[in-house]
Amino acid sequence: MDWSPVPEIRTARLVLDAPRLTDKAAVISYAGDLSVSRWLVRVPHPYTAADADVFLGDIAPAHACFAVREAAGGPLAGIVGISPVGADGGLLGYWFGPPFWGRGYATEAAAAVVAHAFGTLGLGRLQSGYLAGNVASCRVLEKLGFTVTGTSVKWNVALDAECEHIDMCLAAPFAP
């Protein structure tokens, strides 16, 4: 299944589009902030320019990865993406820079990407989850209708430690 290029998606307050090279400084700044990377399993800390180059050049283009902005052409607020899992599934992930926390952007943007996954991409199910203690991410996923399927242990690259992960799933159809 070809998941790129991603379309532009507009919500009530946000514009989601493809991450671009001009987002590099914001990606380094936000993903490099330990208050962000500590909640992400695969993001290293410190986060370097080389890490951003791999993300923007290789990872984002190969997945349904969206840059989230407050307005068209505006600065990067966060990232929401889906990676393929099996024949008809995906893995939803997201992060936002601290200046954009507490505004409901993660829920709004993730709802738009989930609708894209079930509609345009035709996926039948999505997996996601959060590291134990990440109350904000738990609330985002619950608002989207994800339900807990169990717990697992994940290696957190930023913390260089094993962490408890709450596993969640959402099946189509999705209605925000």
Side-chain angles (χ1 to χ4, degrees):
M1 176 180 298
D2 185 14
W3 293 35
S4 65
V6 298
E8 180 178 277
I9 299 174
R10 292 179 179 264
T11 70
R13 302 178 296 160
L14 304 171
V15 175
L16 288 70
D17 58 16
R20 40 188 174 236
L21 294 178
T22 55
D23 295 325
K24 183 176 177 177
V27 169
I28 294 168
S29 174
Y30 297 150
D33 186 327
L34 189 57
S35 68
V36 174
S37 61
R38 75 174 314 273
W39 298 115
L40 305 170
V41 174
R42 296 180 284 188
V43 175
H45 183 81
Y47 191 86
T48 67
D51 295 320
D53 288 338
V54 169
F55 173 72
L56 293 169
D58 299 330
I59 297 170
H63 299 90
C65 186
F66 293 85
V68 181
R69 307 171 197 287
E70 292 178 308
L76 180 75
I79 297 288
V80 179
I82 299 178
S83 302
V85 175
D88 74 337
L91 176 66
L92 174 71
Y94 50 88
W95 58 259
F96 283 78
F100 302 96
W101 290 357
R103 300 184 191 184
Y105 288 174
T107 303
E108 185 175 332
V113 173
V114 168
H116 171 72
F118 289 144
T120 305
L121 296 178
L123 299 183
R125 63 185 165 72
L126 288 173
Q127 298 172 10
S128 194
Y130 60 94
L131 293 177
N134 190 343
V135 176
S137 195
C138 173
R139 287 193 351 242
V140 167
L141 294 169
E142 287 176 344
K143 288 178 191 175
L144 296 174
F146 279 81
T147 57
V148 174
T149 58
T151 61
S152 58
V153 175
K154 305 260 184 189
W155 185 259
N156 182 309
V157 176
L159 298 179
D160 194 28
E162 289 183 337
C163 296
E164 181 183 8
H165 186 267
I166 292 47
D167 306 320
M168 300 181 85
C169 187
L170 178 64
F174 166 75

